[in-house]
Amino acid sequence: METVDVEVLIVGGGPAGLSASIELSRHGVTSLLVERHADTSIFPKARLVSTRTMEIFRSWGIQDAVERAGLPRADSLALGVGSALTAPDFRRAVAPIHDDAPQSPTYTYICSQDRLEVILRALATDQRTAQVRFATTMTELRTVTDGVEAVVESADGRRLARARYAIAADGGRSGIRSSLGIGVAGPPPLGHMLSIMFDVDLRDLLHDRLGALYFVRGEVGCAVEAVDNERRWIIQTAYEPELGQSADDFTEDVCLAFVRAAVGIPDLPVEIIGTMPWLQQAIVADEFRRGRIFLAGDAAHVATPQGGFGMNCGIQDAHNLGWKLAAVSRDAAGDGLLDSYARERRPVAEWTVDESLNNALITVEMMEGRLGMREAGERQADRRRAEGMILGYRYESPAVLPDGTDPPQPSDPYRTYVPTARPGHRAPHVWLSRAGARVSTLDLIGPEFTLMTPAGSGWAQSAKEAGGAAATAITTVEISADGATALSGPEWARAYGLSSRGAVLIRPDGHVAWRCADAPPSSAVLVNALDRILDRTGTSGR
């Protein structure tokens, strides 16, 4: 049997698995991704790409491609409520565009998963260190002394895949999670759901009420999701097995009648593309790591669709884990760095899943008639404003060194984002000037550690010395307040909480690892910080 040797085995070719492959390749780590399906998803199971995920895509060079594949920006922010899409009682609400725009060089977007996966797969496949194999099934996985071994099968035979680590990105019904005996926590399933994808041109009928999401409460009750706001649409509705109902009840004729009732046109010419049953859940795995195997995406957490958080959380899992696996694989970090993955991502997953559940309960109130049309539309639009959670989450682990400052305390942490460069938080976005062009501070963060400091502080030389002494690549960015250097921005140091002698060390995933607000430069201080962040002190390894 042929043997394939890589550093990381990835099981699952959805957004989380493909993102893991891309991120590992950015750090030069070899990987093998196996996906049992022959192609990417044909169903737009998720659609919303959050501001934070768009920032990640920007760093990967695919922001423009995602925008071209998605809905127009204005449509991405709009949703509607009515007894039918064309009914006189239809109400349209739009989340304010300015709320997230100042916080990021990009913004929330709607790009359906079936289109997004094509973009991610092309990028992953194009990487020199990645092998991406669809129509390939993993049939065995075991841990060995120095890593993991798996048997993978495809039409051209069986292979033995050997790797130091494995990432289980195999979905909400993860076979790997089950085989490891890792349980999940959360309420009972909220319901059995069915998605109906259909094709019909609704542009003329809905020209003044286009949006990303519609809630229908009339002859039928359902959610209607725009895939392209032209011909492709998705209906989500519930069925109740305890009442003898099943997904098989939705024959083509039943689906046609359901779609026509939801649109409000009895003789509407519609083509049913397909149906997909699924379980609406809100669960988080008890563990995100078991030895050399890591759970990511839906294998680690499943959110309700309301709010569009689940796919984004999985992509950000991969973004957090990739650089850590790279550092440990290169023997540049201790094993304790890998423990920080669960320490950091599990609390974020819990918050994300809880808020998705809160959104789902609002939908239940609306569908049961406990909310009026106008109130329902306003509350749903208001819940779309989630920048506090999307950008304001923070990490607390040994891979973050506290500086003694307190985190921001907004009155509404779900909706309100307060920028801060406090260690553990995402580095704030600030527009800078470079050769007359605008560039975001986030655009300066690459796959290495980044030290940002005011020009002339002396920290640049310390970083150069520390990088050599610590055998860790550090990219230094010096920024002036008055245009005295090529890169300048009068507000950036204040936004980062730095004096003219300050510096901030940012991890490859864009989160601040260490900050010195005001002190003389010291290479020894930086070396010590890196040793602690990367678990090279021997105090937290296994």
Side-chain angles (χ1 to χ4, degrees):
M1 184 165 50
E2 179 186 351
T3 300
V4 180
D5 289 298
V6 292
E7 291 169 278
V8 180
L9 170 68
I10 305 166
V11 182
L18 290 168
S19 294
S21 176
I22 293 165
E23 190 61 24
L24 289 167
S25 292
R26 292 182 75 230
H27 296 279
V29 175
T30 59
S31 66
L32 167 65
L33 181 151
V34 295
E35 164 57 49
R36 63 186 179 88
H37 291 104
D39 209 340
T40 51
S41 176
I42 61 171
F43 254 86
K45 293 178 284 187
R47 301 178 309 134
L48 188 141
V49 183
S50 74
T51 304
R52 181 60 187 139
T53 301
M54 286 296 288
E55 290 174 353
I56 294 171
F57 290 168
R58 181 183 177 94
S59 73
W60 292 349
I62 58 172
Q63 176 185 337
D64 290 345
V66 173
E67 291 184 6
R68 287 194 299 270
L71 296 186
R73 171 66 168 147
D75 291 351
S76 292
L77 293 165
L79 59 84
V81 178
S83 57
L85 299 189
T86 57
D89 64 3
F90 182 90
R91 297 287 182 269
R92 184 176 187 264
V94 181
I97 192 170
H98 58 78
D99 282 354
D100 59 341
Q103 321 295 1
S104 176
T106 181
Y107 39 72
T108 297
Y109 220 80
I110 294 289
C111 179
S112 60
Q113 183 175 334
D114 55 328
R115 296 184 173 194
L116 178 61
E117 284 187 8
V118 172
I119 297 171
L120 294 177
R121 181 181 180 182
L123 180 60
T125 304
D126 195 44
Q127 305 306 304
R128 177 179 53 83
T129 57
Q131 300 179 52
V132 178
R133 298 183 179 178
F134 277 61
T136 303
T137 303
M138 186 204 70
T139 57
E140 298 177 34
L141 177 65
R142 58 184 175 271
T143 300
V144 294
T145 302
D146 56 352
V148 297
E149 291 183 348
V151 176
V152 297
E153 300 183 7
S154 62
D156 58 354
R158 301 171 77 238
R159 294 178 175 86
L160 178 67
R162 300 190 302 194
R164 289 187 65 176
Y165 300 99
I167 298 175
D170 54 338
R173 294 180 291 180
S174 171
I176 296 176
R177 186 186 67 216
S178 297
S179 69
L180 293 173
I182 297 176
V184 297
L190 277 69
H192 290 77
M193 307 294 294
L194 185 84
S195 293
I196 304 170
M197 185 160 65
F198 61 99
D199 180 286
V200 61
D201 190 345
L202 297 178
R203 284 173 293 183
D204 291 340
L205 290 171
L206 303 180
H207 70 279
D208 60 347
R209 49 182 73 182
L210 290 175
L213 179 64
Y214 310 83
F215 292 101
V216 173
R217 194 185 72 202
E219 181 182 342
V220 295
C222 63
V224 182
E225 298 181 343
V227 176
D228 59 13
N229 258 338
E230 295 180 359
R231 299 202 62 93
R232 288 296 172 101
W233 310 81
I234 290 282
I235 275 180
Q236 293 181 354
T237 189
Y239 62 93
E240 300 185 45
E242 60 271 22
L243 299 180
Q245 300 172 355
S246 77
D248 294 336
D249 296 337
F250 287 83
T251 63
E252 183 168 357
D253 287 342
V254 170
C255 290
L256 286 170
F258 201 103
V259 170
R260 288 165 177 158
V263 177
I265 306 293
D267 58 351
L268 185 72
V270 176
E271 179 186 358
I272 303 299
I273 304 300
T275 61
M276 181 184 71
W278 51 280
L279 197 62
Q280 182 157 220
Q281 292 181 289
I283 57 174
V284 180
D286 295 336
E287 302 172 50
F288 280 25
R289 178 188 187 186
R290 178 69 65 81
R292 292 179 175 270
I293 302 174
F294 300 83
L295 307 186
D298 284 358
H301 43 75
V302 178
T304 76
Q306 284 80 4
F309 304 139
M311 177 179 70
N312 295 285
C313 196
I315 291 170
Q316 290 158 33
D317 290 343
H319 196 234
N320 179 285
L321 182 58
W323 73 272
K324 297 175 180 178
L325 285 171
V328 177
S329 294
R330 298 289 183 269
D331 296 323
D335 186 80
L337 179 63
L338 298 179
D339 283 334
S340 73
Y341 169 64
R343 289 275 296 272
E344 294 179 351
R345 289 305 300 169
R346 195 169 187 278
V348 175
E350 289 176 327
W351 188 14
T352 299
V353 168
D354 285 348
E355 294 294 359
S356 81
L357 182 59
N358 291 335
N359 288 340
L361 295 177
I362 292 174
T363 303
V364 170
E365 286 186 67
M366 178 183 62
M367 301 308 287
E368 292 180 350
R370 288 181 278 156
L371 288 177
M373 294 290 191
R374 184 177 297 277
E375 183 184 4
E378 290 173 352
R379 286 186 62 180
Q380 290 286 352
D382 186 53
R383 290 291 294 181
R384 290 288 300 278
R385 300 168 55 193
E387 295 307 301
M389 184 185 74
I390 290 168
L391 298 177
Y393 65 87
R394 65 180 186 269
Y395 293 149
E396 295 181 356
S397 79
V400 170
L401 305 183
D403 65 355
T405 59
D406 294 324
Q409 298 291 338
S411 58
D412 186 349
Y414 174 80
R415 294 173 179 81
T416 306
Y417 167 63
V418 179
T420 177
R422 178 180 178 270
H425 294 256
R426 156 196 169 271
H429 152 69
V430 180
W431 285 119
L432 305 173
S433 175
R434 181 167 60 189
R438 287 205 312 173
V439 59
S440 170
T441 47
L442 303 189
D443 296 332
L444 306 175
I445 301 169
E448 302 173 343
F449 279 85
T450 302
L451 185 88
M452 290 189 188
T453 185
S457 70
W459 279 102
Q461 180 61 31
S462 295
K464 182 178 180 181
E465 295 169 359
T472 300
I474 303 175
T475 298
T476 302
V477 177
E478 293 189 280
I479 307 170
S480 67
D482 55 6
T485 60
L487 195 61
S488 63
E491 299 296 325
W492 91 270
R494 182 184 61 81
Y496 276 67
L498 305 179
S499 76
S500 60
R501 298 194 307 169
V504 61
L505 186 66
I506 303 170
R507 305 186 327 185
D509 61 359
H511 283 254
V512 175
W514 167 90
R515 179 174 65 172
C516 174
D518 182 12
S522 168
S523 59
V525 167
L526 278 175
V527 170
N528 178 263
L530 287 166
D531 284 345
R532 293 166 62 192
I533 292 162
L534 297 171
D535 185 47
R536 296 194 298 211
T537 61
T539 59
S540 58
R542 287 182 183 273

